[in-house]
Amino acid sequence: MSSSRSNLAALTLGAIGVVYGDIGTSVLYAVKEVFGSGHVDFTPANVFGVLSLFVWTLTTIVSVKYVLLVLRADNHGEGGLVAMLALASQSVKDRPALRRRLLFIGVFGTCLFYGDGVITPAISVLSAVEGLEVISPNFKKMVIPLTLLILLALFWVQKRGTAGIGKFFGPITLIWFAALAVSGVAQIVQYPAILWALSPHHALGFIWHNPGTTFVILGAVVLCVTGAEALYADMGHFGKKPIRLAWFAVVMPSLIINYFGQGALLLSNPEAVKNPFFLMMPEWALMPMVGLATLATVIASQALISGAFSVTKQVIQLGYLPRLHVQHTSEHETGQIYMPFVNWGLFVAIVLAVLMFKSSSNLASAYGIAVCTDMMITTVLTFYVIRYGWKMPLALCVGATGFFFVVDLAFWSSNMLKLFEGGWFPLFIGGSIFMLMLTWKEGRRLLNQSLQSDSLKLGDFLEAVFVEPPTRVAGSAVFLTAEPGVVPNALLHNLKHNKVLHEQNLFVTVRHHEVPWIDRDGRLEIQPLGHDSWQVLVHYGFKDDVDLPKALEGVQGLSYPLDLMSTSYFLSRDIVVPTVGGGMTPWREKLFAQMHLNASPAAEFLNLPSNSVVELGSKIEI
């Protein structure tokens, strides 16, 4: 029992550090953006109304929607938009047209994650460093250079992994939440009546008397749920119970207390609106709080960067992006990975965001559209999961998800007012990645179509070859092929140029599925072809680590076991040639050809031993 409790405590502490970093740093800018916009007058009724909006936004979107409902939609213990997309597509697999539309919507939502991944670190770190301006206006010129320096250091250390420093994330973030609560209480005791803002009638009254203003400021109110999607995305790492316990016991109370503290400060000193979070602090605590806030924002950004690596790996294995170079940064944790292209691509985009928008207030205008769109997509996918996957009554499904969709739509509509003030930026990033994903997916379909149109049936080909068999050489050969049952180009070229065939031949196709994990029992399908040849299907989930030699160790029924030292892996290195009048517009075909050319080698992706790989090239027109 004590061991179980200590494990729960450790997971809860870890969840506080990783899951709630983003939402925990939203206190730095959320209240400032609502009241600093100039749309809300400083009256007690308005302050109470806005704080009540914060409380009930957190309650509705985070507590009820994500913590109580969406966390139930686990895909073999995994969460996140990719896992939800896989669940939804499986739920409607007997409805192909609907399934295609859901995949389209879900992939677009995944692309918007990258737009959020640019804005969130930029606004978080900038808002923390801007605390220096409260200490002295002379520090203002240092804010942007220091922000960029912190971000550079953060992205530079990614290649070394976070296993060593990750153990400090939970304790530091717990200290951060404690500081939020203490600083909030210090203001609340001077104005205890502020606690009445917990009542929803203040939010409802504010909406009733100020409908237009409410609609406008919802785009800033949504800042208080920054990072809510991380609740679901990190479920596989920590589990539902620790995430729920961390939210209700630590995170939500600390956030509400701090928001109320900022509200109490604004009632007594409206001029504090320029930065209410840091102006709550006594003078002696300002510098330590700036340092702690910077640490908290760095940890929040780290969680998002790690999430970008994980999501990219999953999307690659679902077939929507070309292979990218992946480095494992931990000998013990398979999830600890580093992707150089994603890392430095994110860094460049974040630097552009900081230099273009220059302040957290300007960045707040860019934030919201991408996040609210993702929230709506999650709600839509949840409907199809609970309706067609869980077989719940239609009325219950519409009532449960319909309510949240209306709430999400209200926030999304408000944020659309900021489209030309900066909201276009994350949409542009997400849209660009979406175009790349669709181009890659369609290009792969056309490529496979071209290969199949010119392909020979493997069984018939082997029968013809063994009428007058070529010279057999010692050892085993593994031929990689995109489709089972067809002759790989590498085999044709090997016979043409080398005029030999190995004693034992495996024709291997790797398949990725819309489930997170596939256990060892379901990893392999083996079909004998005769002449010491076998067709092998190797199955992986979108979160599995691909290791083909390790998987092939489980092949049964061979003439003799595979020996790593005497096994050769034959791969086709296809060069794509765009043609006029093909399946895509010329510029997309050229883009696909370039993506295909620059993809990470298949041998690296499959974890093949480099000294045992033979690549034989060919040109393919699409």
Side-chain angles (χ1 to χ4, degrees):
M1 181 66 74
S2 60
S3 175
S4 176
R5 287 179 179 175
S6 62
N7 188 47
L8 177 60
L11 287 171
T12 303
L13 183 61
I16 290 171
V18 175
V19 177
Y20 294 110
D22 281 344
I23 201 167
T25 54
S26 61
V27 293
L28 292 166
Y29 45 80
V31 173
K32 179 175 69 172
E33 295 311 317
V34 172
F35 287 102
S37 64
H39 295 294
V40 182
D41 295 330
F42 282 103
T43 65
N46 285 350
V47 172
F48 275 72
V50 169
L51 290 179
S52 189
L53 278 175
F54 273 100
V55 171
W56 291 98
T57 297
L58 287 169
T59 301
T60 303
I61 293 180
V62 183
S63 298
V64 181
K65 177 183 173 181
Y66 282 96
V67 175
L68 298 181
L69 176 61
V70 175
L71 278 185
R72 294 186 61 203
D74 67 290
N75 192 337
H76 298 270
E78 293 295 324
L81 196 53
V82 174
M84 177 70 84
L85 172 59
L87 273 178
S89 67
Q90 290 166 25
S91 300
V92 296
K93 59 185 177 183
D94 56 338
R95 301 164 182 251
L98 177 58
R99 183 175 178 273
R100 283 194 298 271
R101 287 194 291 271
L102 290 182
L103 283 170
F104 185 87
I105 294 169
V107 170
F108 181 64
T110 303
C111 295
L112 290 178
F113 168 83
Y114 294 96
D116 178 34
V118 170
I119 298 298
T120 301
I123 191 173
S124 297
V125 177
L126 250 181
S127 60
V129 178
E130 282 172 350
L132 292 173
E133 297 179 35
V134 177
I135 297 172
S136 170
N138 296 327
F139 285 131
K140 185 173 183 177
K141 59 185 178 183
M142 295 174 56
V143 169
I144 290 179
L146 187 55
T147 297
L148 295 178
L149 188 62
I150 291 169
L151 289 168
L152 176 61
L154 174 63
F155 281 89
W156 183 262
V157 301
Q158 294 304 311
K159 62 183 176 182
R160 303 182 184 277
T162 58
I165 59 173
K167 59 187 176 183
F168 298 110
F169 287 179
I172 291 173
T173 312
L174 183 61
I175 293 170
W176 168 251
F177 282 115
L180 296 187
V182 170
S183 57
V185 167
Q187 297 295 325
I188 291 171
V189 294
Q190 299 180 42
Y191 199 101
I194 200 73
L195 294 175
W196 285 110
L198 286 168
S199 172
H201 85 273
H202 288 290
L204 295 173
F206 182 84
I207 295 169
W208 179 261
H209 294 294
N210 309 280
T213 300
T214 301
F215 179 73
V216 171
I217 69 168
L218 282 180
V221 172
V222 77
L223 293 170
C224 75
V225 293
T226 306
E229 284 280 341
L231 277 165
Y232 183 43
D234 288 309
M235 180 170 60
H237 294 109
F238 301 102
K240 301 174 189 176
K241 190 172 182 179
I243 289 175
R244 286 170 172 159
L245 181 60
W247 173 251
F248 288 114
V250 176
V251 180
M252 187 179 184
S254 299
L255 292 176
I256 291 175
I257 290 170
N258 193 269
Y259 284 131
F260 280 22
Q262 292 186 50
L265 173 67
L266 291 176
L267 285 175
S268 60
N269 180 17
E271 292 183 2
V273 71
K274 61 184 180 181
N275 202 324
F277 177 81
F278 284 109
L279 288 171
M280 277 200 303
M281 309 300 160
E283 191 172 338
W284 62 267
L286 266 176
M287 188 61 80
M289 203 60 183
V290 170
L292 183 58
T294 303
L295 275 177
T297 55
V298 165
I299 291 170
S301 301
Q302 173 60 61
L304 197 145
I305 295 167
S306 299
F309 295 157
S310 178
V311 167
T312 304
K313 178 189 169 189
Q314 294 172 30
V315 169
I316 289 170
Q317 296 190 182
L318 285 175
Y320 284 94
L321 280 178
R323 298 179 302 269
L324 296 175
H325 179 57
V326 178
Q327 296 176 15
H328 287 268
T329 58
S330 172
E331 296 180 1
H332 308 290
E333 296 291 335
T334 57
Q336 292 273 346
I337 60 173
Y338 168 65
M339 306 180 77
F341 181 82
V342 177
N343 186 68
W344 293 112
L346 265 180
F347 174 72
V348 169
I350 290 171
V351 168
L352 281 174
V354 172
L355 294 178
M356 284 172 55
F357 293 97
K358 294 183 170 35
S359 73
S360 61
S361 292
N362 292 337
L363 275 167
S365 298
Y367 185 87
I369 294 178
V371 173
C372 291
T373 306
D374 266 353
M375 287 181 176
M376 284 198 298
I377 290 172
T378 297
T379 301
V380 170
L381 295 179
T382 301
F383 169 80
Y384 287 100
V385 171
I386 64 176
R387 172 60 181 155
Y388 296 103
W390 299 353
K391 310 296 183 185
M392 303 292 281
L394 179 62
L396 178 63
C397 297
V398 171
T401 58
F403 169 75
F404 294 119
F405 186 81
V406 170
V407 173
D408 294 337
L409 183 63
F411 282 108
W412 181 84
S413 301
S414 176
N415 274 282
M416 286 301 292
L417 298 175
K418 303 187 291 185
L419 179 64
F420 298 107
E421 297 175 22
W424 61 268
F425 186 68
L427 288 181
F428 173 77
I429 293 171
S432 300
I433 296 172
F434 187 57
M435 180 270 296
L436 291 176
M437 286 190 183
L438 291 185
T439 298
W440 179 255
K441 189 73 172 177
E442 179 64 11
R444 288 294 301 172
R445 188 188 68 80
L446 293 172
L447 182 61
N448 288 335
Q449 192 177 75
S450 178
L451 287 170
Q452 287 181 26
S453 65
D454 299 329
S455 65
L456 303 170
K457 290 186 177 180
L458 181 59
D460 295 343
F461 179 81
L462 289 177
E463 291 299 326
V465 165
F466 283 104
V467 171
E468 294 184 16
T471 302
R472 306 294 290 265
V473 296
S476 302
V478 174
F479 292 91
L480 274 297
T481 173
E483 291 294 329
V486 301
V487 179
N489 284 337
L491 173 61
L492 294 174
H493 289 296
N494 185 51
L495 288 172
K496 178 181 177 181
H497 297 291
N498 299 325
K499 299 178 175 58
V500 297
L501 201 61
H502 284 70
E503 286 180 317
Q504 187 166 252
N505 298 279
L506 277 68
F507 300 93
V508 177
T509 300
V510 176
R511 286 274 174 85
H512 294 281
H513 298 272
E514 295 174 359
V515 294
W517 314 100
I518 290 179
D519 59 32
R520 292 179 63 88
D521 293 337
R523 180 78 69 212
L524 299 173
E525 285 184 50
I526 305 157
Q527 177 187 350
L529 301 172
H531 311 290
D532 288 323
S533 300
W534 291 265
Q535 176 76 63
V536 181
L537 280 175
V538 185
H539 301 282
Y540 288 103
F542 60 77
K543 294 204 73 173
D544 280 319
D545 285 313
V546 179
D547 190 330
L548 188 59
K550 185 175 180 180
L552 293 180
E553 288 177 0
V555 175
Q556 302 292 325
L558 302 184
S559 300
Y560 54 87
L562 288 178
D563 176 32
L564 183 64
M565 300 302 295
S566 61
T567 299
S568 299
Y569 297 87
F570 289 84
L571 286 75
S572 299
R573 184 69 172 179
D574 303 319
I575 298 174
V576 176
V577 180
T579 57
V580 177
M584 292 190 290
T585 55
W587 70 269
R588 288 186 71 197
E589 287 195 358
K590 290 178 182 178
L591 175 62
F592 172 73
Q594 196 63 36
M595 292 170 74
H596 192 273
L597 179 66
N598 293 321
S600 176
E604 179 184 289
F605 180 73
L606 298 170
N607 202 30
L608 303 181
S610 57
N611 59 351
S612 301
V613 174
V614 180
E615 287 194 326
L616 299 168
S618 61
K619 290 186 177 181
I620 301 175
E621 293 185 351
I622 60 169

